[in-house]
Amino acid sequence: MSDQQYASQIEDFMAYAVSRNPHEEEFLSAVREVAETLIPFIEENPKYKGKKLLERMIEPERVIMFRVPWVDDKGEIQVNRGYRVQFNSAIGPYKGGLRFHSTVNLSVLKFLGFEQTFKNALTTLPMGGGKGGSDFSVRGKSDAEIMRFCQSFMQELFRHIGSDVDVPAGDIGVGGRELGYLFGMYKKLKNEFTGVLTGKGLSWGGSLIRPEATGYGVVYFAEAALNRMGKSIRGLRIAVSGFGNVSWGVVKKVNDLGGKVVTLSGPDGYIYDPEGVSGEKVDFMLRLRASNRDEIKPYAERFGVEYFSGKKPWEQKVDLAIPCAIQNEMNADDAQQLVDNNVIGVVEAANMPLTNEAVEIIQQARKLYVPGKAANAGGVAVSGLEMTQNAMRISWTAAEVDEKLRWIMNNIHDNTVKFGLLPGGYVDYKKGANIAGFIKVADAMLAQGIV
Ligand code: 2IT
């Protein structure tokens, strides 16, 4: 079939997706990104053709929405909305994080659950795709308010999850503190101590390296991709956005490998630290996060570096960009600026931080582009390792977990190169990740019949 025929097939499929999911912008953009690579692949492979696999895959197996009422410190009743999108269980129990953030809605969680299905397949571990959360924001809340919210959230969620059913974890706004409150309520309601959540604290079933895993995995992947180009992290100046868990792990591993992270950002703006974020500055990131203020400005005040209010770090001249904050944080103009500044490439640590137009600009310029579903899979991969340790009732050492994480990231790298290598040598990691993830899920779905 010609490119033009594929293009019209893609538009027909998107018209179908739009008609079934009107106004769900984030979800539709994730679907488009996948459909553009998978429709030609499916057409060329009789095994997958005519089975309505994409139509089946974009329909979540189940969506749960619920009321989350709680009482704030003033004694007022607050009402939030809770969700769990159980997207695909073809290769294992639903698995994916919970996001507590003001931008959370059904479209965002469907996009995240859809992406998670492919990501989890890439890890080689038996995990299906899911995502959940709430429009609750921890910003400006007291610890007691956060606890009451988490308890109310779990009072409904508990009946839908289980260690062989659906295993949530953290995401934006959900870290060790929130997972502790969630786990405590789950255990009380079910009267069982099982690995129903991952990202748990070390003394109650958590895994070493889980807090670092997403960021470490991103940098292991970046290093593998750079090595393929005859380059490495060593000596690179890197722009990072965000200052939360993912950025923190990226900063630590970049420092280990001899690179320099020169920017961090928050919703308020970004800081530029030409010396690099290292030493006590890395620990300061943890304190910023624990403060519930959601601002990066205090970093500039504390360390006397430049602060750019209301700006994004992509305007700095750097060798590599690693967006770690949130979806759509890098648009076409940002991507063009990076290309004009001769960046080596962009590695996504957040989920879909680049708009589809931004991805197009980076790839058209033949710069390195690695999608989050491949690069940030180390987080959920170590969640999978936490599930294994819980099931075996043992704990591996940090070195053992790190070794497995590195193996998994290198494996994802090689597998995405296998399906993404274009004539001429450029690697389309987006194509590679979509096809490699699809094959695993689609084969399982085909084997299990129309269910
Ligand atoms: O986006 C992600 O992969 C996560 N938030 C982690 C999910 C998990 O189950 O560890």
Side-chain angles (χ1 to χ4, degrees):
M1 235 194 248
S2 71
D3 282 356
Q4 211 168 353
Q5 279 166 311
Y6 286 143
S8 89
Q9 224 180 318
I10 291 164
E11 291 319 313
D12 288 351
F13 179 76
M14 284 313 299
Y16 163 83
V18 170
S19 73
R20 291 184 62 76
N21 308 277
H23 316 302
E24 294 187 355
E25 252 175 69
E26 295 84 0
F27 178 54
L28 289 166
S29 118
V31 168
R32 173 176 284 280
E33 192 260 344
V34 165
E36 283 176 352
T37 39
L38 286 182
I39 285 175
F41 177 77
I42 291 169
E43 280 303 315
E44 286 156 20
N45 286 275
K47 178 177 178 188
Y48 303 116
K49 202 176 156 168
K51 307 275 168 51
K52 294 270 168 78
L53 280 163
L54 277 187
E55 286 84 347
R56 286 151 71 183
M57 280 185 183
I58 68 166
E59 202 64 36
E61 288 176 15
R62 188 176 300 108
V63 175
I64 300 147
M65 288 174 65
F66 50 99
R67 179 205 296 162
V68 189
W70 55 283
V71 179
D72 70 17
D73 287 347
K74 294 196 210 86
E76 302 240 354
I77 299 165
Q78 302 286 341
V79 181
N80 286 95
R81 190 170 291 167
Y83 306 82
R84 187 70 183 166
V85 180
Q86 298 182 329
F87 224 107
N88 192 306
S89 63
I91 66 167
Y94 308 109
K95 181 84 196 86
L98 296 171
R99 176 175 293 191
F100 293 168
H101 194 259
S102 53
T103 57
V104 163
N105 58 38
L106 187 58
S107 167
V108 168
L109 294 179
K110 280 171 69 178
F111 123 62
L112 289 164
F114 183 65
E115 289 280 293
Q116 196 81 42
T117 303
F118 290 83
K119 184 197 307 196
N120 293 2
L122 290 172
T123 65
T124 70
L125 303 176
M127 300 181 290
K131 203 84 186 188
S134 175
D135 57 352
F136 172 85
S137 164
V138 298
R139 187 186 208 158
K141 303 291 193 305
S142 72
D143 200 71
E145 288 176 324
I146 292 170
M147 181 176 77
R148 289 195 293 274
F149 173 81
C150 288
Q151 292 178 334
S152 179
F153 186 86
M154 188 53 86
Q155 278 173 351
E156 174 56 36
L157 187 68
F158 84 100
R159 67 186 96 249
H160 308 290
I161 62 177
S163 56
D164 291 324
V165 179
D166 183 355
V167 183
D171 193 81
I172 296 173
V174 179
R177 172 181 54 188
E178 291 76 19
L179 286 164
Y181 297 146
L182 291 163
F183 186 74
M185 185 49 83
Y186 179 87
K187 187 163 63 67
K188 178 166 181 158
L189 293 169
K190 282 278 208 16
N191 192 29
E192 62 175 36
F193 195 116
T194 59
V196 67
L197 297 175
T198 62
K200 298 186 293 301
L202 279 182
S203 63
W204 42 283
S207 174
L208 287 160
I209 307 292
R210 178 64 189 89
E212 292 87 347
T214 311
Y216 278 19
V218 167
V219 180
Y220 291 149
F221 196 112
E223 183 72 348
L226 288 165
N227 286 170
R228 214 194 140 269
M229 301 161 77
K231 301 180 193 294
S232 82
I233 293 279
R234 181 162 299 281
L236 297 191
R237 284 163 34 87
I238 301 174
V240 161
S241 58
F243 63 90
N245 169 262
V246 176
S247 321
W248 171 76
V250 166
V251 166
K252 286 194 358 159
K253 190 49 73 180
V254 163
N255 289 341
D256 281 355
L257 297 186
K260 225 179 234 185
V261 170
V262 295
T263 68
L264 294 174
S265 74
D268 56 322
Y270 80 94
I271 61 97
Y272 176 65
D273 187 347
E275 301 293 314
V277 181
S278 63
E280 63 164 322
K281 296 167 176 173
V282 184
D283 300 328
F284 189 75
M285 293 174 74
L286 296 178
R287 268 189 281 151
L288 270 184
R289 188 151 54 102
S291 75
N292 296 348
R293 274 182 58 189
D294 209 11
E295 286 176 348
I296 195 64
K297 192 174 176 195
Y299 181 104
E301 289 162 352
R302 171 77 177 73
F303 299 110
V305 301
E306 275 185 284
Y307 167 69
F308 299 87
S309 177
K311 292 278 183 64
K312 295 191 268 187
W314 321 127
E315 61 187 18
Q316 290 292 336
K317 184 166 168 38
V318 291
D319 303 308
L320 191 68
I322 307 186
C324 302
I326 199 162
Q327 67 270 5
N328 298 332
E329 58 170 308
M330 189 187 291
N331 62 27
D333 291 343
D334 301 324
Q336 191 59 52
Q337 186 144 21
L338 285 166
V339 169
D340 292 346
N341 282 335
N342 204 21
V343 75
I344 296 168
V346 182
V347 179
E348 292 187 338
N351 292 310
M352 227 172 71
L354 273 68
T355 62
N356 289 348
E357 295 73 30
V359 173
E360 174 104 18
I361 287 168
I362 302 289
Q363 290 197 320
Q364 285 291 329
R366 287 295 187 250
K367 303 289 186 184
L368 171 68
Y369 165 73
V370 186
K373 75 191 88 173
N376 75 26
V380 73
V382 173
S383 277
L385 300 178
E386 184 172 329
M387 289 167 72
T388 307
Q389 293 170 81
N390 290 166
M392 296 169 78
R393 303 198 192 284
I394 57 163
S395 307
W396 289 323
T397 64
E400 282 173 298
V401 178
D402 195 26
E403 177 61 33
K404 291 184 205 308
L405 170 62
R406 202 169 340 183
W407 182 88
I408 288 170
M409 296 316 297
N410 283 328
N411 182 276
I412 299 175
H413 176 264
D414 295 350
N415 209 13
T416 46
V417 170
K418 179 173 152 197
F419 292 104
L421 187 61
L422 303 184
Y426 179 73
V427 179
D428 181 346
Y429 284 96
K430 173 174 95 171
K431 178 178 175 200
N434 286 340
I435 294 176
F438 171 81
I439 288 175
K440 180 157 182 188
V441 177
D443 286 354
M445 287 175 71
L446 290 175
Q448 292 167 28
I450 317 287
V451 288

